[in-house]
Amino acid sequence: MTDAVLTSGPDAFEETLGRLSKKAGVRATIVLDRASGAILKTSGQLSSIRNTKAPGSSMPAVGSFSSEASGNSASEDQGAEELASMVWKFVGTAGSLVQELDTEDEVKLLRLRTKKQEFVIVPDTKYLLVVVHDTSSA
Amino acid sequence: MNQRRDEILAKRAKLAELKRQRELRASQASARQSIDSNELISPTPGRADNRREIESLIDSLVRESRPVSVSTGANSPGRFGSRPNSVLSAGELSNENNSEFAIPANGQVVTPQPQILSTISSKIVYECPPSPVKEVFSYSKGVQTTETWPTPRHSRAFSESDIDEPPVTASPSKRLSRRERDREEELRENIRKEIEEELRAAKELVTDGVLKPSAAANFPARTLTAEELRAVTQSDEFMDFIDRSTKVIEKALDQEYDILTDYTLQVHDIDEDDEQSGNTGGKGRRKVKEIAQFYDERWSKKRMVSSIDFSPKFSELLLASYTKNPAAPHDPDGIVQVWNLHLHDRPEFVFHAQSDILTAKFSPFHPNLIIGGAYSGQVLLWDTRARSAPVQKTPLTGSGHTHPVYCVDIVGTQNANNIISCSTDGAVCGWSVDMLAQPQETLTLLTPPPAKAEDLAPTCMAFPQADPTFFLVGSEEGTIFPCHRYDRAGAKAGVDARVSYKGHAAPVMSVSFHPSRGPVDLGDLVLSASLDWSVKLWKVRAPAATSAVAATVSTGGAAGLGSALGGAGLLESAVSPLLDFVREDVVYDAAWSPVKPGVFGLVDGAGWLELWDITVETEEPVARISPSPRKDGRTMLSKSLNKLAWEPSEGKRLATGGIDGAVSVFEVGPDLGGKEGLKNEEWTSVKKLVNRLEAVGGNDGAGV
């Protein structure tokens, strides 16, 4: 609980995320607005996540993305947006699953392990944080 | 954000219209109201007709719209006219007044139904005489409320709508506003939908070529402007979220065990040399292994660890208090960091104080509370549910401590406990956890008479497990004094003049009572560490010892010193240590293992953590280890370890901290900690050792 008074907001924010992205194996972090899906902050090589995505690997995306391999050369922003969109949809789907099981329940943490990496997603009421990191061995 | 702005604009327009309507209505209502009041006092027939018409209309309308509970048998407008006029009571009048806002203002249909209002003068039914006894109010319980807790914030949408709403004056209009709100909500919803559709359309136009429409359709992502981004990222709510979520993720990443490990697969190079890897000390079942080191670039830098304590409730949490960072004058001088063994790179909580924290401790009775003592003489209380500032602190006045507080403790029971603090001028204060505005009890410790100077400078304090009214203080001169919090038989509150534990030749840095949770009571064994390069083992007299007991012991212990035998109760008897562990450097801290009766740990100025087992060996430690140096740490004079703490429930882990600000956590082998394989013999062998030493000590004393 870092005090917002003593550490100016953006600094602490940058510092916290910076430290997170400096951890071994962390490839990217994204902060999204929960309601709109607007990207608030990204770091790391987002394009690398898409690049490593060979056809057939388990991404949370729908099938339509595999046909989009040509889009990999797009800019970093584009990559971030796409990834954000996929993650956002994934969280939405997970959320609806939980809602249908129990309307008073909510998603607290999503860990999606694939052969190559892991997505750790913390959805909150207003924002959501995604960290993509390598899994050392699988 | 645009969407939101549009919404607000639309709402404003709507509100303006509503306001206009309301004003119209209000003017009508006030006109009516003035008539109403006139009439009640003196009904003038000319106006009354008109008035009655309106009233009857209102009444009929009211009757239609909702059941009236006050009047009887007048539920339909048809029957209304046949009713005796005098029945119309004040209740109905007020009923009418209440509901006038709910009536459409334009419904001015005239239906003549003459009514006569009559009022009855008020009658006194029962008069209550004023009480002849003057009441005296008194209230003595005090609770310190200087620190206000942050009130939970409403979400922004909520507060905005609250502000935008025109001030609602009376409760009758509630229903109207609800209806109004519903309508607004509907309107807002429509607008939102429209805007969303527009946005979506725009999005599709812009990104059609790149993104598939299917992907973009339900992802209304749009780039925020720099301004909006800043607004969001600077909000407290966002900071809280980042703080919480990154902690979760870091814990997830720090989890060492891979739950997907497939043991049927070929074993790759799993470190078989686990025994040798990492920083270890000791051998076999007495191994010590460093399992974590906590250091935060931001907060630990250039600070020294002044105390460590494990949480009594959560064995993975430990706190460390720190002195000031001389290179950062704008940071708070004193901090307390709570570290989590599952979160390696950052503290779970950081707490601040305006002065160096010299000691801190988790409350054993409330897992959220942390108490601390500061260089300024303040005693502070933090709450892990609150922000980093202390929720309570003692004032900087003469009523409490005016010297640095190096030792605090919470003693008592779950329902009745006190914070006891001790400062270097010899002042001991007892505080209520609820109120730190002033001490509940104060005591000044003075060196008993034979000494040249009266002043006593306590450096450490320890309470035995069983007795919250008795404690030991280690002093700067090297003597350990027993003290009583209250007067008791044969001894006044304060330093007990009859006994003192002399042996150390330099300031005593720590005193530790044996935890004594076992088949044999060893609660009277005390370890003390001192700057004279030694740790000593003492057997403490029972605090309730009468002068007779003191006398007999003093004859045994002090006879060799040539003390007079008579009047030993008044004479100070110096008790010498049972055992002396001489080390190669100053010893800063020593602490008994919470589970193993014969095991204790010590940390010294050379940076060694040593583990001793007096049932095995009293001449040298059974294991020793030094924390692995930090990569960027200073090389000179940075190794010294200040403090040591055992994890209280299992006794398998212990933490050390020192001059370089790093907190290292070690895990000990099964012979040095852990509850399994605990044997009763260990307790009896410690007891036997003590008995043997006592006998030898007595002979020594007599032989000198």
Side-chain angles (χ1 to χ4, degrees), chain A residues 29-34 37 46 49-50 59-62 65 79-95 110 112 119-123 128-132, chain B residues 219:
Chain A
T29 60
I30 311 169
V31 187
L32 298 181
D33 190 87
R34 181 85 190 269
L46 292 152
I49 295 156
R50 289 303 303 280
M59 281 287 281
V62 284
F65 281 98
E81 213 154 280
E82 285 174 39
L83 184 72
S85 133
M86 288 186 274
V87 167
W88 192 72
K89 270 164 55 189
F90 175 59
V91 174
T93 315
L110 285 168
L112 181 71
F119 290 75
V120 187
I121 306 168
V122 185
L128 64 92
L129 172 64
V130 187
V131 170
V132 186
Chain B
F219 185 65

mmCIF file of all heavy atoms in Angstrom, chain A residues 29-34 37 46 49-50 59-62 65 79-95 110 112 119-123 128-132, chain B residues 219:
data_model
loop_
_atom_site.group_PDB
_atom_site.id
_atom_site.type_symbol
_atom_site.label_atom_id
_atom_site.label_comp_id
_atom_site.label_asym_id
_atom_site.label_seq_id
_atom_site.Cartn_x
_atom_site.Cartn_y
_atom_site.Cartn_z
ATOM 1 N N THR A 29 3.111 -6.417 -20.227
ATOM 2 C CA THR A 29 2.022 -6.106 -19.298
ATOM 3 C C THR A 29 1.067 -5.144 -19.992
ATOM 4 O O THR A 29 1.496 -4.274 -20.749
ATOM 5 C CB THR A 29 2.528 -5.427 -18.008
ATOM 6 O OG1 THR A 29 3.182 -4.214 -18.374
ATOM 7 C CG2 THR A 29 3.498 -6.304 -17.264
ATOM 8 N N ILE A 30 -0.196 -5.318 -19.745
ATOM 9 C CA ILE A 30 -1.205 -4.428 -20.325
ATOM 10 C C ILE A 30 -2.211 -4.075 -19.237
ATOM 11 O O ILE A 30 -2.639 -4.948 -18.488
ATOM 12 C CB ILE A 30 -1.972 -5.108 -21.484
ATOM 13 C CG1 ILE A 30 -1.007 -5.747 -22.476
ATOM 14 C CG2 ILE A 30 -2.859 -4.095 -22.203
ATOM 15 C CD1 ILE A 30 -1.706 -6.637 -23.473
ATOM 16 N N VAL A 31 -2.559 -2.810 -19.178
ATOM 17 C CA VAL A 31 -3.628 -2.388 -18.281
ATOM 18 C C VAL A 31 -4.780 -1.898 -19.137
ATOM 19 O O VAL A 31 -4.592 -1.040 -20.004
ATOM 20 C CB VAL A 31 -3.177 -1.271 -17.325
ATOM 21 C CG1 VAL A 31 -4.260 -0.992 -16.317
ATOM 22 C CG2 VAL A 31 -1.890 -1.649 -16.628
ATOM 23 N N LEU A 32 -5.946 -2.440 -18.908
ATOM 24 C CA LEU A 32 -7.118 -2.076 -19.706
ATOM 25 C C LEU A 32 -8.209 -1.512 -18.821
ATOM 26 O O LEU A 32 -8.255 -1.800 -17.632
ATOM 27 C CB LEU A 32 -7.683 -3.308 -20.414
ATOM 28 C CG LEU A 32 -6.816 -4.045 -21.420
ATOM 29 C CD1 LEU A 32 -7.602 -5.206 -21.982
ATOM 30 C CD2 LEU A 32 -6.409 -3.113 -22.530
ATOM 31 N N ASP A 33 -9.078 -0.754 -19.439
ATOM 32 C CA ASP A 33 -10.299 -0.334 -18.775
ATOM 33 C C ASP A 33 -11.293 -1.478 -18.901
ATOM 34 O O ASP A 33 -11.497 -2.000 -19.992
ATOM 35 C CB ASP A 33 -10.835 0.930 -19.438
ATOM 36 C CG ASP A 33 -11.968 1.532 -18.643
ATOM 37 O OD1 ASP A 33 -11.683 2.313 -17.742
ATOM 38 O OD2 ASP A 33 -13.126 1.183 -18.940
ATOM 39 N N ARG A 34 -11.882 -1.847 -17.775
ATOM 40 C CA ARG A 34 -12.735 -3.032 -17.797
ATOM 41 C C ARG A 34 -13.975 -2.803 -18.659
ATOM 42 O O ARG A 34 -14.404 -3.671 -19.422
ATOM 43 C CB ARG A 34 -13.165 -3.392 -16.379
ATOM 44 C CG ARG A 34 -14.032 -4.616 -16.242
ATOM 45 C CD ARG A 34 -13.192 -5.859 -16.160
ATOM 46 N NE ARG A 34 -13.971 -7.076 -16.253
ATOM 47 C CZ ARG A 34 -14.478 -7.733 -15.223
ATOM 48 N NH1 ARG A 34 -14.287 -7.291 -14.023
ATOM 49 N NH2 ARG A 34 -15.163 -8.842 -15.410
ATOM 50 N N GLY A 37 -12.625 -1.423 -22.500
ATOM 51 C CA GLY A 37 -11.524 -2.122 -23.129
ATOM 52 C C GLY A 37 -10.433 -1.194 -23.608
ATOM 53 O O GLY A 37 -9.506 -1.614 -24.285
ATOM 54 N N LEU A 46 4.863 -6.530 -27.078
ATOM 55 C CA LEU A 46 3.564 -7.133 -27.318
ATOM 56 C C LEU A 46 3.549 -7.886 -28.635
ATOM 57 O O LEU A 46 2.894 -8.912 -28.774
ATOM 58 C CB LEU A 46 2.497 -6.038 -27.320
ATOM 59 C CG LEU A 46 2.307 -5.411 -25.947
ATOM 60 C CD1 LEU A 46 1.829 -3.999 -26.058
ATOM 61 C CD2 LEU A 46 1.349 -6.249 -25.148
ATOM 62 N N ILE A 49 4.521 -11.554 -28.671
ATOM 63 C CA ILE A 49 3.560 -12.559 -28.245
ATOM 64 C C ILE A 49 2.793 -13.076 -29.453
ATOM 65 O O ILE A 49 2.550 -14.263 -29.604
ATOM 66 C CB ILE A 49 2.592 -11.964 -27.209
ATOM 67 C CG1 ILE A 49 3.384 -11.608 -25.969
ATOM 68 C CG2 ILE A 49 1.483 -12.928 -26.879
ATOM 69 C CD1 ILE A 49 2.749 -10.552 -25.136
ATOM 70 N N ARG A 50 2.452 -12.138 -30.301
ATOM 71 C CA ARG A 50 1.761 -12.561 -31.516
ATOM 72 C C ARG A 50 2.709 -13.311 -32.440
ATOM 73 O O ARG A 50 2.332 -14.282 -33.056
ATOM 74 C CB ARG A 50 1.194 -11.343 -32.262
ATOM 75 C CG ARG A 50 0.018 -10.695 -31.587
ATOM 76 C CD ARG A 50 -1.136 -11.649 -31.354
ATOM 77 N NE ARG A 50 -1.609 -12.278 -32.558
ATOM 78 C CZ ARG A 50 -2.426 -11.716 -33.441
ATOM 79 N NH1 ARG A 50 -2.858 -10.513 -33.234
ATOM 80 N NH2 ARG A 50 -2.816 -12.365 -34.505
ATOM 81 N N MET A 59 -4.078 -20.046 -28.158
ATOM 82 C CA MET A 59 -4.297 -18.662 -27.741
ATOM 83 C C MET A 59 -5.754 -18.525 -27.335
ATOM 84 O O MET A 59 -6.587 -19.310 -27.754
ATOM 85 C CB MET A 59 -4.018 -17.712 -28.915
ATOM 86 C CG MET A 59 -2.552 -17.448 -29.145
ATOM 87 S SD MET A 59 -1.899 -16.373 -27.880
ATOM 88 C CE MET A 59 -2.488 -14.805 -28.467
ATOM 89 N N PRO A 60 -6.048 -17.548 -26.553
ATOM 90 C CA PRO A 60 -7.437 -17.405 -26.138
ATOM 91 C C PRO A 60 -8.337 -16.868 -27.250
ATOM 92 O O PRO A 60 -9.510 -16.662 -27.055
ATOM 93 C CB PRO A 60 -7.344 -16.387 -25.000
ATOM 94 C CG PRO A 60 -6.134 -15.600 -25.323
ATOM 95 C CD PRO A 60 -5.177 -16.556 -25.950
ATOM 96 N N ALA A 61 -7.747 -16.623 -28.395
ATOM 97 C CA ALA A 61 -8.513 -15.972 -29.439
ATOM 98 C C ALA A 61 -9.452 -16.956 -30.150
ATOM 99 O O ALA A 61 -9.311 -18.168 -30.038
ATOM 100 C CB ALA A 61 -7.573 -15.371 -30.460
ATOM 101 N N VAL A 62 -10.343 -16.379 -30.873
ATOM 102 C CA VAL A 62 -11.227 -17.194 -31.681
ATOM 103 C C VAL A 62 -10.485 -17.570 -32.968
ATOM 104 O O VAL A 62 -9.449 -17.012 -33.289
ATOM 105 C CB VAL A 62 -12.524 -16.440 -32.026
ATOM 106 C CG1 VAL A 62 -13.429 -16.404 -30.828
ATOM 107 C CG2 VAL A 62 -12.202 -15.052 -32.526
ATOM 108 N N PHE A 65 -8.514 -15.455 -35.905
ATOM 109 C CA PHE A 65 -7.235 -14.785 -35.866
ATOM 110 C C PHE A 65 -6.143 -15.528 -36.606
ATOM 111 O O PHE A 65 -5.192 -14.930 -37.070
ATOM 112 C CB PHE A 65 -6.800 -14.556 -34.416
ATOM 113 C CG PHE A 65 -7.493 -13.406 -33.807
ATOM 114 C CD1 PHE A 65 -8.599 -13.595 -33.009
ATOM 115 C CD2 PHE A 65 -7.082 -12.116 -34.082
ATOM 116 C CE1 PHE A 65 -9.261 -12.531 -32.477
ATOM 117 C CE2 PHE A 65 -7.739 -11.053 -33.550
ATOM 118 C CZ PHE A 65 -8.836 -11.244 -32.747
ATOM 119 N N GLY A 79 -0.545 -4.243 -32.563
ATOM 120 C CA GLY A 79 -0.405 -5.515 -31.841
ATOM 121 C C GLY A 79 -1.028 -5.424 -30.472
ATOM 122 O O GLY A 79 -1.760 -6.325 -30.040
ATOM 123 N N ALA A 80 -0.745 -4.332 -29.810
ATOM 124 C CA ALA A 80 -1.279 -4.143 -28.461
ATOM 125 C C ALA A 80 -2.800 -4.140 -28.497
ATOM 126 O O ALA A 80 -3.456 -4.778 -27.683
ATOM 127 C CB ALA A 80 -0.766 -2.826 -27.887
ATOM 128 N N GLU A 81 -3.315 -3.452 -29.487
ATOM 129 C CA GLU A 81 -4.763 -3.333 -29.570
ATOM 130 C C GLU A 81 -5.413 -4.694 -29.812
ATOM 131 O O GLU A 81 -6.415 -5.027 -29.199
ATOM 132 C CB GLU A 81 -5.130 -2.373 -30.690
ATOM 133 C CG GLU A 81 -6.381 -1.583 -30.395
ATOM 134 C CD GLU A 81 -6.371 -0.274 -31.154
ATOM 135 O OE1 GLU A 81 -5.712 0.676 -30.702
ATOM 136 O OE2 GLU A 81 -7.015 -0.239 -32.213
ATOM 137 N N GLU A 82 -4.789 -5.429 -30.698
ATOM 138 C CA GLU A 82 -5.351 -6.744 -30.991
ATOM 139 C C GLU A 82 -5.308 -7.638 -29.767
ATOM 140 O O GLU A 82 -6.289 -8.309 -29.430
ATOM 141 C CB GLU A 82 -4.579 -7.409 -32.146
ATOM 142 C CG GLU A 82 -4.914 -6.809 -33.491
ATOM 143 C CD GLU A 82 -4.029 -7.392 -34.577
ATOM 144 O OE1 GLU A 82 -3.756 -8.605 -34.513
ATOM 145 O OE2 GLU A 82 -3.612 -6.639 -35.450
ATOM 146 N N LEU A 83 -4.150 -7.636 -29.148
ATOM 147 C CA LEU A 83 -4.003 -8.488 -27.963
ATOM 148 C C LEU A 83 -4.995 -8.061 -26.883
ATOM 149 O O LEU A 83 -5.673 -8.892 -26.279
ATOM 150 C CB LEU A 83 -2.575 -8.385 -27.426
ATOM 151 C CG LEU A 83 -2.279 -9.312 -26.254
ATOM 152 C CD1 LEU A 83 -2.199 -10.757 -26.723
ATOM 153 C CD2 LEU A 83 -0.989 -8.914 -25.567
ATOM 154 N N ALA A 84 -5.084 -6.750 -26.709
ATOM 155 C CA ALA A 84 -6.016 -6.225 -25.712
ATOM 156 C C ALA A 84 -7.427 -6.682 -26.029
ATOM 157 O O ALA A 84 -8.173 -7.116 -25.147
ATOM 158 C CB ALA A 84 -5.945 -4.706 -25.682
ATOM 159 N N SER A 85 -7.772 -6.603 -27.287
ATOM 160 C CA SER A 85 -9.114 -6.998 -27.690
ATOM 161 C C SER A 85 -9.362 -8.472 -27.395
ATOM 162 O O SER A 85 -10.410 -8.850 -26.889
ATOM 163 C CB SER A 85 -9.301 -6.672 -29.172
ATOM 164 O OG SER A 85 -9.875 -7.750 -29.844
ATOM 165 N N MET A 86 -8.348 -9.291 -27.675
ATOM 166 C CA MET A 86 -8.516 -10.722 -27.424
ATOM 167 C C MET A 86 -8.669 -11.004 -25.938
ATOM 168 O O MET A 86 -9.533 -11.772 -25.520
ATOM 169 C CB MET A 86 -7.296 -11.470 -27.971
ATOM 170 C CG MET A 86 -7.277 -11.525 -29.489
ATOM 171 S SD MET A 86 -5.934 -12.546 -30.065
ATOM 172 C CE MET A 86 -4.603 -11.399 -30.099
ATOM 173 N N VAL A 87 -7.801 -10.371 -25.186
ATOM 174 C CA VAL A 87 -7.839 -10.604 -23.742
ATOM 175 C C VAL A 87 -9.163 -10.116 -23.179
ATOM 176 O O VAL A 87 -9.798 -10.774 -22.363
ATOM 177 C CB VAL A 87 -6.664 -9.876 -23.052
ATOM 178 C CG1 VAL A 87 -6.870 -9.835 -21.553
ATOM 179 C CG2 VAL A 87 -5.362 -10.564 -23.376
ATOM 180 N N TRP A 88 -9.573 -8.959 -23.658
ATOM 181 C CA TRP A 88 -10.813 -8.369 -23.156
ATOM 182 C C TRP A 88 -11.998 -9.288 -23.419
ATOM 183 O O TRP A 88 -12.855 -9.494 -22.568
ATOM 184 C CB TRP A 88 -11.000 -7.016 -23.825
ATOM 185 C CG TRP A 88 -12.062 -6.190 -23.198
ATOM 186 C CD1 TRP A 88 -12.000 -5.568 -21.989
ATOM 187 C CD2 TRP A 88 -13.339 -5.911 -23.731
ATOM 188 N NE1 TRP A 88 -13.158 -4.903 -21.743
ATOM 189 C CE2 TRP A 88 -14.008 -5.097 -22.799
ATOM 190 C CE3 TRP A 88 -13.992 -6.265 -24.915
ATOM 191 C CZ2 TRP A 88 -15.291 -4.637 -23.008
ATOM 192 C CZ3 TRP A 88 -15.270 -5.795 -25.127
ATOM 193 C CH2 TRP A 88 -15.908 -4.988 -24.176
ATOM 194 N N LYS A 89 -11.998 -9.840 -24.617
ATOM 195 C CA LYS A 89 -13.087 -10.763 -24.956
ATOM 196 C C LYS A 89 -13.036 -12.014 -24.104
ATOM 197 O O LYS A 89 -14.052 -12.533 -23.656
ATOM 198 C CB LYS A 89 -13.008 -11.130 -26.435
ATOM 199 C CG LYS A 89 -13.791 -10.174 -27.291
ATOM 200 C CD LYS A 89 -13.433 -10.262 -28.743
ATOM 201 C CE LYS A 89 -13.549 -11.635 -29.347
ATOM 202 N NZ LYS A 89 -12.999 -11.690 -30.691
ATOM 203 N N PHE A 90 -11.803 -12.471 -23.908
ATOM 204 C CA PHE A 90 -11.620 -13.675 -23.101
ATOM 205 C C PHE A 90 -12.139 -13.459 -21.682
ATOM 206 O O PHE A 90 -12.861 -14.285 -21.134
ATOM 207 C CB PHE A 90 -10.135 -14.037 -23.078
ATOM 208 C CG PHE A 90 -9.794 -15.193 -22.198
ATOM 209 C CD1 PHE A 90 -10.367 -16.438 -22.408
ATOM 210 C CD2 PHE A 90 -8.889 -15.045 -21.161
ATOM 211 C CE1 PHE A 90 -10.054 -17.501 -21.604
ATOM 212 C CE2 PHE A 90 -8.576 -16.107 -20.352
ATOM 213 C CZ PHE A 90 -9.160 -17.337 -20.564
ATOM 214 N N VAL A 91 -11.790 -12.317 -21.120
ATOM 215 C CA VAL A 91 -12.255 -12.009 -19.766
ATOM 216 C C VAL A 91 -13.772 -11.890 -19.741
ATOM 217 O O VAL A 91 -14.433 -12.356 -18.819
ATOM 218 C CB VAL A 91 -11.603 -10.708 -19.247
ATOM 219 C CG1 VAL A 91 -12.194 -10.307 -17.908
ATOM 220 C CG2 VAL A 91 -10.110 -10.881 -19.109
ATOM 221 N N GLY A 92 -14.309 -11.272 -20.791
ATOM 222 C CA GLY A 92 -15.761 -11.156 -20.881
ATOM 223 C C GLY A 92 -16.432 -12.519 -20.880
ATOM 224 O O GLY A 92 -17.420 -12.742 -20.179
ATOM 225 N N THR A 93 -15.855 -13.437 -21.654
ATOM 226 C CA THR A 93 -16.429 -14.775 -21.731
ATOM 227 C C THR A 93 -16.354 -15.480 -20.381
ATOM 228 O O THR A 93 -17.323 -16.081 -19.915
ATOM 229 C CB THR A 93 -15.656 -15.602 -22.777
ATOM 230 O OG1 THR A 93 -15.475 -14.808 -23.933
ATOM 231 C CG2 THR A 93 -16.422 -16.860 -23.128
ATOM 232 N N ALA A 94 -15.188 -15.367 -19.782
ATOM 233 C CA ALA A 94 -15.013 -16.001 -18.470
ATOM 234 C C ALA A 94 -15.992 -15.409 -17.470
ATOM 235 O O ALA A 94 -16.610 -16.125 -16.680
ATOM 236 C CB ALA A 94 -13.580 -15.812 -17.985
ATOM 237 N N GLY A 95 -16.129 -14.066 -17.540
ATOM 238 C CA GLY A 95 -17.045 -13.383 -16.639
ATOM 239 C C GLY A 95 -18.478 -13.864 -16.814
ATOM 240 O O GLY A 95 -19.190 -14.107 -15.849
ATOM 241 N N LEU A 110 -7.427 -14.916 -13.438
ATOM 242 C CA LEU A 110 -7.388 -15.869 -14.551
ATOM 243 C C LEU A 110 -5.941 -16.199 -14.839
ATOM 244 O O LEU A 110 -5.115 -15.306 -15.043
ATOM 245 C CB LEU A 110 -8.024 -15.243 -15.795
ATOM 246 C CG LEU A 110 -9.532 -15.122 -15.826
ATOM 247 C CD1 LEU A 110 -9.952 -14.232 -16.975
ATOM 248 C CD2 LEU A 110 -10.169 -16.479 -15.981
ATOM 249 N N LEU A 112 -3.921 -18.431 -17.512
ATOM 250 C CA LEU A 112 -4.083 -19.237 -18.705
ATOM 251 C C LEU A 112 -2.714 -19.761 -19.107
ATOM 252 O O LEU A 112 -1.857 -19.007 -19.565
ATOM 253 C CB LEU A 112 -4.695 -18.374 -19.814
ATOM 254 C CG LEU A 112 -4.943 -19.100 -21.121
ATOM 255 C CD1 LEU A 112 -6.089 -20.071 -20.948
ATOM 256 C CD2 LEU A 112 -5.256 -18.105 -22.214
ATOM 257 N N PHE A 119 -0.661 -16.402 -19.318
ATOM 258 C CA PHE A 119 -1.334 -15.125 -19.122
ATOM 259 C C PHE A 119 -1.853 -15.105 -17.695
ATOM 260 O O PHE A 119 -2.541 -16.018 -17.284
ATOM 261 C CB PHE A 119 -2.536 -14.988 -20.065
ATOM 262 C CG PHE A 119 -2.163 -14.814 -21.503
ATOM 263 C CD1 PHE A 119 -1.709 -15.898 -22.236
ATOM 264 C CD2 PHE A 119 -2.285 -13.588 -22.125
ATOM 265 C CE1 PHE A 119 -1.357 -15.746 -23.572
ATOM 266 C CE2 PHE A 119 -1.947 -13.431 -23.452
ATOM 267 C CZ PHE A 119 -1.483 -14.514 -24.183
ATOM 268 N N VAL A 120 -1.488 -14.088 -16.971
ATOM 269 C CA VAL A 120 -2.081 -13.910 -15.651
ATOM 270 C C VAL A 120 -2.926 -12.638 -15.722
ATOM 271 O O VAL A 120 -2.415 -11.562 -16.019
ATOM 272 C CB VAL A 120 -1.012 -13.775 -14.547
ATOM 273 C CG1 VAL A 120 -1.670 -13.773 -13.190
ATOM 274 C CG2 VAL A 120 -0.013 -14.899 -14.638
ATOM 275 N N ILE A 121 -4.200 -12.776 -15.496
ATOM 276 C CA ILE A 121 -5.128 -11.654 -15.654
ATOM 277 C C ILE A 121 -5.844 -11.394 -14.343
ATOM 278 O O ILE A 121 -6.422 -12.299 -13.757
ATOM 279 C CB ILE A 121 -6.166 -11.958 -16.759
ATOM 280 C CG1 ILE A 121 -5.457 -12.342 -18.055
ATOM 281 C CG2 ILE A 121 -7.082 -10.765 -16.982
ATOM 282 C CD1 ILE A 121 -6.383 -12.936 -19.087
ATOM 283 N N VAL A 122 -5.754 -10.168 -13.888
ATOM 284 C CA VAL A 122 -6.484 -9.778 -12.676
ATOM 285 C C VAL A 122 -7.593 -8.816 -13.079
ATOM 286 O O VAL A 122 -7.326 -7.658 -13.379
ATOM 287 C CB VAL A 122 -5.564 -9.091 -11.645
ATOM 288 C CG1 VAL A 122 -6.324 -8.829 -10.365
ATOM 289 C CG2 VAL A 122 -4.348 -9.940 -11.359
ATOM 290 N N PRO A 123 -8.822 -9.273 -13.150
ATOM 291 C CA PRO A 123 -9.910 -8.348 -13.470
ATOM 292 C C PRO A 123 -10.452 -7.704 -12.204
ATOM 293 O O PRO A 123 -10.630 -8.364 -11.194
ATOM 294 C CB PRO A 123 -10.966 -9.256 -14.099
ATOM 295 C CG PRO A 123 -10.546 -10.654 -13.812
ATOM 296 C CD PRO A 123 -9.308 -10.639 -12.981
ATOM 297 N N LEU A 128 -8.462 -3.889 -15.658
ATOM 298 C CA LEU A 128 -7.889 -5.224 -15.587
ATOM 299 C C LEU A 128 -6.438 -5.189 -16.014
ATOM 300 O O LEU A 128 -6.031 -4.407 -16.875
ATOM 301 C CB LEU A 128 -8.714 -6.250 -16.360
ATOM 302 C CG LEU A 128 -8.916 -6.219 -17.860
ATOM 303 C CD1 LEU A 128 -7.853 -7.056 -18.527
ATOM 304 C CD2 LEU A 128 -10.279 -6.778 -18.180
ATOM 305 N N LEU A 129 -5.657 -6.020 -15.365
ATOM 306 C CA LEU A 129 -4.215 -6.058 -15.598
ATOM 307 C C LEU A 129 -3.853 -7.425 -16.160
ATOM 308 O O LEU A 129 -4.287 -8.454 -15.642
ATOM 309 C CB LEU A 129 -3.482 -5.803 -14.284
ATOM 310 C CG LEU A 129 -1.962 -5.979 -14.268
ATOM 311 C CD1 LEU A 129 -1.293 -4.966 -15.174
ATOM 312 C CD2 LEU A 129 -1.424 -5.827 -12.862
ATOM 313 N N VAL A 130 -3.083 -7.414 -17.220
ATOM 314 C CA VAL A 130 -2.666 -8.658 -17.859
ATOM 315 C C VAL A 130 -1.147 -8.708 -17.845
ATOM 316 O O VAL A 130 -0.490 -7.726 -18.187
ATOM 317 C CB VAL A 130 -3.138 -8.705 -19.324
ATOM 318 C CG1 VAL A 130 -2.850 -10.070 -19.916
ATOM 319 C CG2 VAL A 130 -4.591 -8.364 -19.420
ATOM 320 N N VAL A 131 -0.603 -9.821 -17.448
ATOM 321 C CA VAL A 131 0.831 -10.029 -17.567
ATOM 322 C C VAL A 131 1.052 -11.305 -18.363
ATOM 323 O O VAL A 131 0.428 -12.333 -18.089
ATOM 324 C CB VAL A 131 1.501 -10.127 -16.185
ATOM 325 C CG1 VAL A 131 2.940 -10.590 -16.325
ATOM 326 C CG2 VAL A 131 1.465 -8.789 -15.485
ATOM 327 N N VAL A 132 1.903 -11.207 -19.368
ATOM 328 C CA VAL A 132 2.247 -12.388 -20.153
ATOM 329 C C VAL A 132 3.666 -12.757 -19.786
ATOM 330 O O VAL A 132 4.562 -11.905 -19.818
ATOM 331 C CB VAL A 132 2.163 -12.091 -21.664
ATOM 332 C CG1 VAL A 132 2.374 -13.361 -22.461
ATOM 333 C CG2 VAL A 132 0.834 -11.461 -21.994
ATOM 334 N N PHE B 219 -15.680 -4.889 -29.405
ATOM 335 C CA PHE B 219 -14.545 -4.343 -28.648
ATOM 336 C C PHE B 219 -14.458 -2.849 -28.916
ATOM 337 O O PHE B 219 -13.795 -2.406 -29.836
ATOM 338 C CB PHE B 219 -13.250 -5.051 -29.073
ATOM 339 C CG PHE B 219 -12.082 -4.624 -28.250
ATOM 340 C CD1 PHE B 219 -12.036 -4.912 -26.901
ATOM 341 C CD2 PHE B 219 -11.034 -3.915 -28.817
ATOM 342 C CE1 PHE B 219 -10.959 -4.531 -26.143
ATOM 343 C CE2 PHE B 219 -9.962 -3.525 -28.059
ATOM 344 C CZ PHE B 219 -9.919 -3.836 -26.731
#
